[in-house]
């Protein structure tokens, strides 16, 4: 038996035709799929190992030239300005990367042209934690103190990472599914489940990273025997497949670079770096391209039938507003997670000799608008060397993330007075908590204290983040059906501008308490599938 992951338009009937398999054999092998005409995109489907089995045709990808010292082929804007793209993607974080990968994966050599513009440069060819010399201290310095990695967002504690790969170069890869209240979330649960499966597969999400780690198991047992039966090994986007048959698995921690790489091996695309999108160009009411600028202020218009903005919760509405594209919700309904972080110390001597990492999640539920996660021992997970320095006292973290209501008055707007070096207006950001948000944050803080007491380690500190802090900001181009309260439709297309899409964290209409990236990637893949259907 072989496993085949269904393409966008596959049903059991079509798969049977594609692989010359008897339909009734296929139905027997896949008895969990009730209907042979049910769309199956992303589902694993069992195929018999029949002699008549024939693989789909082999894909030939012409290797693009790589300039010296660079690890991914790049194009010049001069060259790109002479092409009309079927799809042009702005930004290479997880949103842009996921959309690109899905388009290349599905289109392969069908003649469609894809371009990508990225404001930043080539910075790291992989997640920082995959680099042997980057231990916890160096990662922390990169992630939180380095001016090359962190660009402050004026007036807030938020930061951006302007580089190929976006913030996924330094993220901590925690990837749980989100609780999506059906009355507030425009995509049906069954469809989300399908796209979650595709996203988890593409990002290697599993809970094996901490599974079996002695200290993790000890804390898990205490939690499950206490009042937390749902406590689980934390799902992380890590590739722990052993290398076999010469397939190299050197990128343990997932970053959007993996999306760019997977895409590259499916279909060539043009990528321009140091190419900042400043405006979307429209003609007769539909998208026609993007106005892009270089750091030396050269200006280009790249033509495209479809544009996907993946420039982040702050970058995307900034481009839209600077283009004069006004929708009632564009820039509004900014959300974030409220966060409270506790630390605890434990003495190494009181725990098993082999320690292992801690990664535990107590997930949100319909009734629990927050999640609690345990991570640590701080620094421990970062040592590539087996000889982890022995420390008698170790620190770990218990973090609570709460949901924040989407409210019109929490917003980003263009600063009428300040412009950046590209002439783009700076953003002004307003975000504060409602009374309901504060109450949830209070409950999350109490839960963090309870968790610490159940695992038997008193907290040494406990402090909430400010509303304008953290890495989970979202919602400034929320999707929905009503243009009065949403910026895009349920597929991420900006209301009233055909061909213009959003695929990044700004698309969340509401946000559960789970870390956002997996859910956003699932939505970005879904948006790519929708575009594929539209451009047929
Ligand atoms: C330290 C840290 C830890 C994190 N841990 C987690 C975690 O464990 N789990 C989780 O789910 N999330 C985590 N996050 C958040 C996660 O990184 C984000 O959710 C995710 O990166 C958002 O993806 P995005 O595509 O919306 O934006 P980004 O990753 O910010 O990517 C935006 C891209 O657009 C580019 N860009 C911006 N403006 C322009 C423009 N005008 N023209 C062209 N390009 C532009 C940027 O350079 C960047 O490449 C963490 C973040 C940080 C910083």
């Amino acid at each position: 038996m072989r496993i085949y992951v269904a393409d966008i338009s596959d049903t059991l009937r079509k798969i049977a035709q594609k692989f010359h398999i008897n339909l009734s054999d296929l139905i027997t092998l896949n008895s969990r799929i009730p209907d042979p005409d049910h769309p199956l995109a992303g589902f694993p489907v069992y195929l018999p190992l029949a002699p008549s089995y024939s693989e789909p045709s082999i894909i030939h990808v012409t290797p693009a030239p790589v300039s010296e010292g660079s690890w991914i082929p790049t194009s010049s804007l001069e060259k790109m300005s002479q092409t009309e793209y079927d799809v042009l993607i702005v930004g290479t974080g997880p949103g842009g990367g996921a959309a690109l990968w899905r388009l290349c994966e599905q289109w392969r050599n069908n003649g469609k042209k894809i371009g990508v513009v990225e404001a930043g440069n080539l910075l790291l060819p992989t997640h920082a934690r995959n680099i042997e010399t980057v231990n916890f201290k160096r990662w922390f310095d990169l992630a939180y103190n380095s001016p090359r990695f962190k660009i402050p967002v004026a007036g807030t504690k938020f930061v951006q990472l302007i580089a190929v790969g976006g913030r996924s170069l330094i993220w901590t890869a925690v990837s749980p599914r989100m609780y999506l209240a059906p009355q507030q979330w425009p995509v049906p649960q069954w469809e989300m489940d399908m796209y979650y499966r595709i996203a988890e597969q593409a990002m290697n999400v599993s809970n094996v990273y901490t599974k079996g780690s002695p200290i993790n198991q000890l804390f898990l047992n205490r939690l499950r025997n206490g009042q937390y039966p749902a406590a689980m090994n934390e799902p992380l986007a890590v590739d722990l497949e052993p290398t076999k048959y010469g397939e190299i698995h050197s990128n343990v921690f997932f970053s959007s670079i993996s999306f760019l790489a997977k895409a590259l091996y499916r279909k060539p695309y043009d990528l321009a770096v140091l190419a900042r999108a400043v405006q979307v160009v429209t003609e007769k009411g539909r998208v026609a391209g993007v106005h892009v600028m270089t750091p030396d202020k050269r200006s280009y218009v790249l033509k495209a039938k479809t544009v996907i903005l993946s420039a982040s919760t702050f970058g995307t509405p900034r481009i839209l507003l600077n283009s004069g594209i006004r929708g009632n919700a564009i820039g509004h309904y900014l959300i974030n997670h409220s966060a409270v972080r506790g630390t605890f110390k434990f003495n190494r001597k009181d725990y098993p000799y082999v320690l292992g990492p801690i990664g535990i999640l107590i997930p949100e539920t319909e009734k629990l608008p927050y999640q609690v996660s345990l991570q640590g021992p701080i620094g421990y997970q970062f040592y590539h060397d087996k000889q982890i320095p022995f420390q008698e006292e170790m620190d770990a973290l218990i973090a609570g993330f709460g949901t924040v209501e989407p409210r019109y008055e929490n917003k980003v707007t263009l600063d009428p007075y300040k412009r950046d070096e590209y002439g783009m207006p700076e953003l002004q950001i307003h975000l504060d908590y409602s009374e309901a948000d504060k109450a949830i944050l209070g409950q999350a803080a109490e839960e963090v204290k309870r968790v610490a007491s159940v695992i038997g380690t008193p907290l040494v500190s406990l402090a909430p983040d400010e509303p304008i802090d953290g890495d989970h900001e979202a919602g400034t181009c929320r999707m929905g059906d009503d243009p009065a309260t949403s910026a895009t439709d349920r597929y991420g297309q900006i209301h009233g501008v055909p061909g213009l899409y959003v695929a990044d964290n700004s698309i969340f209409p509401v946000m559960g308490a789970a870390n956002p990236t997996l859910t956003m990637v699932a939505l970005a893949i879904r948006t790519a599938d929708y575009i594929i259907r539209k451009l047929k």
Side-chain angles (χ1 to χ4, degrees):
M1 204 153 61
R2 284 190 55 140
I3 293 180
Y4 162 75
V5 179
D7 272 352
I8 177 85
S9 58
D10 278 338
T11 60
L12 276 190
R13 195 180 303 282
K14 286 187 183 161
I15 293 171
Q17 284 161 4
K18 192 187 288 186
F19 292 102
H20 312 294
I21 297 166
N22 190 314
L23 179 60
S24 58
D25 291 349
L26 200 58
I27 292 174
T28 313
L29 274 177
N30 295 278
S31 51
R32 70 201 193 291
I33 302 171
D35 176 359
D37 296 309
H38 187 78
L40 294 175
F43 271 106
V45 177
Y46 298 126
L47 304 184
L49 269 183
S52 62
Y53 175 85
S54 66
E55 289 275 1
S57 57
I58 289 174
I59 294 116
H60 297 283
V61 178
T62 320
V66 183
S67 60
E68 200 184 337
S70 83
W71 37 264
I72 187 166
T74 54
S75 296
S76 70
L77 284 173
E78 279 85 359
K79 190 170 150 242
M80 286 180 72
S81 61
Q82 287 151 28
T83 303
E84 182 177 17
Y85 290 98
D86 292 285
V87 178
L88 184 66
I89 299 171
V90 174
T92 57
L100 173 69
W101 163 70
R102 188 64 170 178
L103 291 171
C104 291
E105 175 83 13
Q106 297 292 320
W107 272 344
R108 308 210 174 184
N109 279 357
N110 71 348
K112 300 266 193 236
K113 295 193 186 76
I114 303 178
V116 184
V117 290
E118 165 55 56
N121 205 345
L122 304 179
L123 189 58
L124 292 181
T126 184
H127 191 293
R129 284 177 67 174
N130 297 331
I131 298 172
E132 281 203 65
T133 48
V134 176
N135 63 6
F136 176 70
K137 188 180 172 313
R138 289 191 196 98
W139 169 80
F140 193 86
D141 279 350
L142 286 179
Y144 292 101
N145 300 326
S146 158
R148 284 179 67 216
F149 278 73
K150 288 274 177 165
I151 317 281
V153 178
T156 72
K157 292 189 167 177
F158 292 121
V159 280
Q160 309 253 277
L161 204 176
I162 303 296
V164 173
R167 285 176 288 168
S168 71
L169 295 177
I170 48 166
W171 75 317
T172 34
V174 180
S175 303
R177 293 189 183 191
M178 195 173 269
Y179 170 71
L180 307 166
Q183 62 282 13
Q184 294 177 311
W185 192 260
V187 184
Q189 188 65 50
W190 67 266
E191 211 183 335
M192 285 307 300
D193 288 343
M194 187 168 93
Y195 281 102
Y196 268 133
R197 269 198 294 275
I198 300 172
E200 283 163 348
Q201 205 170 30
M203 296 167 72
N204 310 305
V205 176
S206 78
N207 60 4
V208 298
Y209 189 79
T210 51
K211 209 171 184 171
S213 143
I215 192 164
N216 209 55
Q217 198 53 51
L218 195 76
F219 286 161
L220 257 183
N221 291 346
R222 287 179 185 171
L223 287 166
R224 286 174 180 164
N225 294 335
Q227 45 193 299
Y228 300 102
M232 57 161 92
N233 288 295
E234 193 162 55
L236 288 173
V238 292
D239 181 0
L240 295 177
E241 275 278 304
T243 294
K244 61 175 183 190
Y245 311 135
E247 277 178 13
I248 300 167
H249 293 275
S250 54
N251 292 304
V252 173
F253 286 90
F254 178 86
S255 75
S256 185
I257 305 295
S258 296
F259 277 142
L260 304 189
K262 282 184 193 175
L264 198 62
Y265 293 125
R266 293 289 178 272
K267 179 181 181 65
Y269 56 86
D270 294 337
L271 163 68
V273 297
L274 295 171
R276 180 173 287 265
V278 291
Q279 278 178 331
V280 171
V281 179
T282 54
E283 269 171 28
K284 297 186 183 140
R286 67 162 294 128
V287 80
V290 173
H291 176 192
V292 181
M293 287 183 72
T294 61
D296 57 0
K297 312 300 168 312
R298 277 174 298 143
S299 185
Y300 299 86
V301 172
L302 305 188
K303 295 189 278 300
K305 294 188 185 109
T306 303
V307 169
I308 305 178
L309 296 178
S310 301
S312 84
T313 293
F314 295 136
T316 290
R318 191 174 176 203
I319 297 169
L320 287 168
L321 294 172
N322 194 42
S323 313
I325 296 173
R326 299 271 186 274
N328 197 39
I330 295 176
H332 292 269
Y333 301 99
L334 173 62
I335 41 179
N336 191 8
H337 281 139
S338 60
V340 54
R341 294 168 211 270
T343 54
F344 64 90
K345 286 188 187 299
F346 59 94
N347 196 305
R348 191 71 178 72
K349 285 187 294 201
D350 300 335
Y351 289 89
Y353 177 68
V354 178
L355 210 55
I358 305 168
I360 294 176
L361 178 72
I362 300 164
E364 62 179 331
T365 63
E366 186 179 353
K367 299 223 169 68
L368 220 62
Y370 52 83
Q371 72 170 27
V372 175
S373 61
L374 288 81
Q375 279 147 11
I378 290 174
Y380 190 98
Q381 297 180 21
F382 287 78
Y383 287 97
H384 287 251
D385 196 319
K386 284 202 184 67
Q387 305 303 319
I388 295 164
F390 188 88
Q391 288 164 276
E392 194 158 302
E393 202 162 62
M394 304 201 83
D395 304 289
L397 176 77
I398 309 181
F401 286 146
T403 56
V404 166
E405 285 183 298
R407 289 184 299 137
Y408 185 80
E409 56 271 35
N410 286 332
K411 61 184 178 192
V412 305
T413 48
L414 297 183
D415 190 317
Y417 305 110
K418 288 195 197 133
R419 287 177 181 260
D420 68 10
E421 68 270 30
Y422 298 90
M424 266 185 110
E426 298 282 4
L427 281 186
Q428 290 180 324
I429 293 164
H430 173 80
L431 174 60
D432 61 22
Y433 292 153
S434 67
E435 290 308 312
D437 300 334
K438 288 179 197 162
I440 290 170
L441 182 60
Q443 289 168 31
E446 288 308 311
E447 202 72 78
V448 167
K449 288 187 209 161
R450 268 195 295 276
V451 165
S453 111
V454 170
I455 61 170
T457 54
L459 288 176
V460 289
S461 70
L462 181 68
D465 283 1
E466 285 180 46
I468 44 164
D469 195 357
D471 304 303
H472 295 177
E473 70 282 359
T476 49
C477 295
R478 65 202 311 247
M479 60 175 172
D481 294 329
D482 182 357
T485 55
S486 59
T488 82
D489 66 16
R490 53 178 61 205
Y491 292 99
Q493 185 164 213
I494 292 284
H495 291 301
V497 189
L500 179 57
Y501 293 82
V502 174
D504 57 27
N505 279 353
S506 69
I507 195 125
F508 282 84
V510 288
M511 193 159 57
N515 312 52
T517 309
L518 174 73
T519 303
M520 181 271 283
V521 163
L523 290 173
I525 295 170
R526 179 175 174 272
T527 292
D529 280 356
Y530 182 74
I531 291 171
I532 291 166
R533 288 201 291 278
K534 293 288 258 192
L535 295 188
K536 255 195 178 143

